[in-house]
Amino acid sequence: MAAPGDGLEAVEAEGSAGLRGTSGIAVVLPSGPAVPAPLCPHGPTLLFVKVTQGKEETRRFYACSACRDRKDCNFFQWEDEKLSGARLAAREAHNRRCQPPLSRRQCVERYLKFIKLPLTQRKFCQRCQQLLLPDDWGQHSEHQVLGDVSVTQLRKPSQLLYPLENKKTNAQYLFADRSCQFLVDLLSTLGFRRVLCVGTPRLHELIRLTASADRNANIKSLLLDIDFRYSQFYMEDSFCHYNMFNHHFFDGKTALEVCRAFLQEDKGKGVIMVTDPPFGGLVEPLAITFKKLIAMWKEGQSQDDSDKELPIFWIFPYFFESRICQFFPSFRMLDYQVDYDNHALYKHGKTGRKQSPVRIFTNIPLNKIILPTEEGYRFCSLCQRYVSLENQHCEHCNSCPSKDGRKWNHCFLCKKCVKPSWIHCSICNHCAVPDHSCQGPKDGCFICGELDHKRSTCPNIATSKRANKAVRKQKQRKSNNMKMETTKGQSMNHTSATRRKKRRERAHQYLCS
């Protein structure tokens, strides 16, 4: 998900401009017959290409699908590179070492043994993030161990496990109770009986808890997630270790068939997919994966239902709207603000830029989705959908135009509504923030102003860096000189005071002698 703290603006800029394409790296979408990609610990890699000044370089390369930082997965291979047998064997050995220590079957067997233990023998190692059987206690004697693990705790593993916090790989910002309960109630109201939870472990938990507490709640779920630690808490028909960036099931065909059976049960009726991908991930491979899941669902459809779509809730920041609708034109965005327990910014109820930017994109008709009026949402009879309180209908745009929860203002020159902090610039001939640079085009390079590339790929970037470095050095020298003068002045003042004191002491001794 998105970067915490002040990283939000960077993620927004990436979302509006196309992610890796703006930073000089673009993902190569498959065209024609698929060529098997080399494998890294996270499954099949993706093909990328470097982009310089708007032009793709001829040599392309494979890199990890899930990790954007080489520190997390350093896989790299040129597309046309030929590897020796020794290097291939070493890579296979490395991939095996990076896999979870226990197989899926072993995790299930351990779980069944664990739940049969008396409460006093149910222990969980917080350091190793592992359920412990009595035979394991000796190996974890010096670790921080949680005892008396109850059945209720086992049903809420997201509260036992530490959230993964690598924002570029598998950051786990877990739904707050408010958003999670809203989703469960909404899914039930809409009549769904099965929920494919792709990267939404807390929603999966609440659905199962609701079903176990209420026999009339005829709803079940299957969790697909890259966090293998959940293998300890769920049977094989409830959880699949899965990478959503390359549609890879780590446990092979067995897990794939579990997912297929879940989607195609009852001829595919009554099922919905809910996904909450990491916000730092690439939209393109996610869209490809979701289309593969849709195709899997369609395999169980009859010919009469071939024109139907798999209902989907894609939870993502609002500034990715154009990217998502590029791949799924039928999707529309809800005004509902999704918030998270362990994220400082993504909280409902805050105002302005501090409120949560996370929304729900869906292909379900918006007039069927009721948002909670007690939280300030209201129904717009003209738009035929629920909107946030500040999202006022514009008679000129004939819509409720706000995307971020604030009241937007209509600009008659731009002929559209814009954010309240924006003003119309007569030089740029469009609305922008008041302190924007008119000389630098919005979508161009911030160094030279050209439109065909970004700052990171500018041919003048080296000159710019040298100039900036020289300015920083000059400022540093000036700061050091000021500090030295201050210190020198303090030292001189101290010396003068000492001399005066000694003169007074000598005069006093002379008078007393």
Side-chain angles (χ1 to χ4, degrees):
M1 296 172 71
D6 56 3
L8 176 59
E9 289 78 7
V11 176
E12 179 170 358
E14 286 189 281
S16 59
L19 287 168
R20 287 203 188 194
T22 65
S23 62
I25 301 293
V27 64
V28 180
L29 301 180
S31 59
V35 178
L39 302 177
C40 76
H42 302 93
T45 54
L46 295 180
L47 186 62
F48 297 97
V49 63
K50 291 185 178 181
V51 180
T52 305
Q53 299 186 28
K55 297 180 180 179
E56 293 185 0
E57 294 186 1
T58 55
R59 204 171 187 193
R60 306 187 294 190
F61 63 91
Y62 290 100
C64 181
S65 62
C67 303
R68 295 179 64 191
D69 195 329
R70 292 282 299 276
K71 294 178 182 178
D72 302 310
C73 182
N74 62 1
F75 185 97
F76 181 92
Q77 179 183 323
W78 293 111
E79 182 186 22
D80 56 1
E81 185 178 1
K82 302 298 182 183
L83 301 183
S84 65
R87 282 190 63 187
L88 288 172
R91 176 180 291 172
E92 291 176 3
H94 171 73
N95 291 346
R96 284 195 298 269
R97 287 195 300 271
C98 293
Q99 296 310 306
L102 299 174
S103 69
R104 188 74 181 90
R105 184 69 249 167
Q106 288 174 317
C107 288
V108 170
E109 291 172 356
R110 287 175 59 87
Y111 176 75
L112 293 174
K113 291 179 182 178
F114 188 89
I115 58 177
K116 292 179 181 179
L117 294 172
L119 183 63
T120 54
Q121 293 185 19
R122 291 193 206 140
K123 298 182 180 183
F124 177 77
C125 180
Q126 293 180 316
R127 176 176 169 181
C128 301
Q129 298 285 278
Q130 180 183 338
L131 294 175
L132 301 180
L133 297 175
D135 293 341
D136 305 323
W137 294 353
Q139 303 171 23
H140 302 264
S141 57
E142 297 182 0
H143 298 177
Q144 186 175 357
V145 174
L146 178 68
D148 299 341
V149 179
S150 65
V151 173
T152 303
Q153 288 175 299
L154 289 174
R155 290 176 176 174
K156 297 179 180 180
S158 68
Q159 297 182 12
L160 273 178
L161 299 170
Y162 292 132
L164 302 176
E165 295 183 346
N166 187 330
K167 64 191 179 187
K168 292 183 179 180
T169 309
N170 45 17
Q172 289 179 324
Y173 297 118
L174 303 168
F175 290 145
D177 290 341
R178 161 192 167 269
S179 293
C180 205
Q181 190 63 58
F182 164 75
L183 285 170
V184 172
D185 293 342
L186 177 60
L187 295 171
S188 178
T189 301
L190 292 172
F192 292 108
R193 300 186 297 276
R194 300 189 312 285
V195 184
L196 183 66
C197 297
V198 184
T200 58
R202 187 156 285 182
L203 177 64
H204 178 64
E205 288 176 15
L206 187 57
I207 291 173
R208 290 172 60 84
L209 284 169
T210 304
S212 62
D214 184 5
R215 293 182 179 179
N216 295 324
N218 185 24
I219 186 170
K220 59 182 181 179
S221 66
L222 170 64
L223 175 63
L224 309 183
D225 202 283
I226 199 169
D227 188 353
F228 68 88
R229 299 177 300 172
Y230 285 104
S231 299
Q232 305 174 81
F233 301 91
Y234 296 118
M235 303 298 286
E236 292 164 306
D237 61 348
S238 300
F239 171 76
C240 296
H241 188 200
Y242 179 75
N243 182 353
M244 71 174 77
F245 289 100
N246 57 6
H247 188 55
H248 176 65
F249 289 87
F250 289 88
D251 296 307
K253 190 175 180 180
T254 302
L256 173 65
E257 291 306 319
V258 168
C259 180
R260 189 192 306 277
F262 186 86
L263 285 172
Q264 296 181 5
E265 182 181 332
D266 195 17
K267 296 183 179 179
K269 296 179 182 177
V271 65
I272 183 174
M273 184 180 83
V274 182
T275 181
D276 183 30
F279 300 159
L282 296 167
V283 173
E284 290 90 339
L286 287 172
I288 292 171
T289 288
F290 299 156
K291 286 183 178 182
K292 289 179 179 178
L293 290 171
I294 293 170
M296 190 185 298
W297 169 77
K298 280 194 171 183
E299 290 173 5
Q301 297 283 298
S302 63
Q303 291 285 33
D304 297 336
D305 298 329
S306 59
D307 59 334
K308 290 186 177 180
E309 289 186 317
L310 171 67
I312 296 176
F313 282 165
W314 183 343
I315 297 167
F316 231 44
Y318 68 82
F319 38 80
F320 282 93
E321 181 180 18
S322 61
R323 303 286 294 160
I324 292 175
C325 292
Q326 177 184 347
F327 291 96
F328 297 98
S330 63
F331 278 28
R332 296 294 179 266
M333 188 181 79
L334 296 174
D335 272 21
Y336 183 81
Q337 294 181 18
V338 180
D339 57 344
Y340 298 82
D341 266 350
N342 54 330
H343 198 292
L345 287 183
Y346 296 173
K347 299 289 186 183
H348 170 73
K350 293 187 176 183
T351 57
R353 291 280 293 177
K354 294 182 179 180
Q355 60 190 331
S356 173
V358 187
R359 302 291 185 268
I360 301 173
F361 296 88
T362 183
N363 52 1
I364 298 174
L366 300 191
N367 59 0
K368 293 184 178 181
I369 299 177
I370 301 174
L371 303 186
T373 54
E374 63 274 14
E375 293 183 10
Y377 298 101
R378 59 180 182 81
F379 187 76
C380 176
S381 57
L382 297 174
C383 293
Q384 285 293 296
R385 69 183 181 97
Y386 276 83
V387 297
S388 60
L389 188 63
E390 295 296 319
N391 192 1
Q392 300 297 316
H393 190 89
C394 175
E395 60 181 6
H396 306 288
C397 298
N398 194 27
S399 67
C400 294
S402 175
K403 306 293 183 184
D404 59 9
R406 296 178 292 174
K407 183 181 183 298
W408 286 19
N409 303 320
H410 188 82
C411 175
F412 290 95
L413 297 175
C414 292
K415 297 181 180 179
K416 65 178 181 179
C417 285
V418 298
K419 295 180 180 180
S421 57
W422 288 15
I423 59 173
H424 192 86
C425 176
S426 58
I427 301 174
C428 301
N429 198 29
H430 63 73
C431 288
V433 292
D435 58 347
H436 74 284
S437 173
C438 295
Q439 297 176 354
K442 179 181 177 183
D443 294 323
C445 175
F446 290 112
I447 295 176
C448 66
E450 295 295 331
L451 288 169
D452 60 351
H453 64 272
K454 295 292 182 177
R455 176 186 179 279
S456 59
T457 57
C458 181
N460 300 323
I461 191 169
T463 306
S464 174
K465 286 182 177 178
R466 284 196 297 270
N468 291 336
K469 188 176 181 180
V471 170
R472 286 196 299 270
K473 283 187 175 180
Q474 186 177 359
K475 288 182 178 180
Q476 187 63 41
R477 282 197 298 268
K478 186 176 180 180
S479 176
N480 292 340
N481 290 337
M482 291 177 64
K483 289 179 180 178
M484 289 177 64
E485 290 176 2
T486 303
T487 306
K488 184 178 179 181
Q490 292 175 347
S491 178
M492 291 177 66
N493 292 339
H494 177 73
T495 303
S496 300
T498 304
R499 288 174 180 172
R500 286 195 298 270
K501 183 178 180 182
K502 287 184 177 181
R503 283 199 297 269
R504 285 197 300 270
E505 288 176 351
R506 285 197 298 269
H508 179 74
Q509 291 174 356
Y510 174 77
L511 292 172
C512 294
S513 58

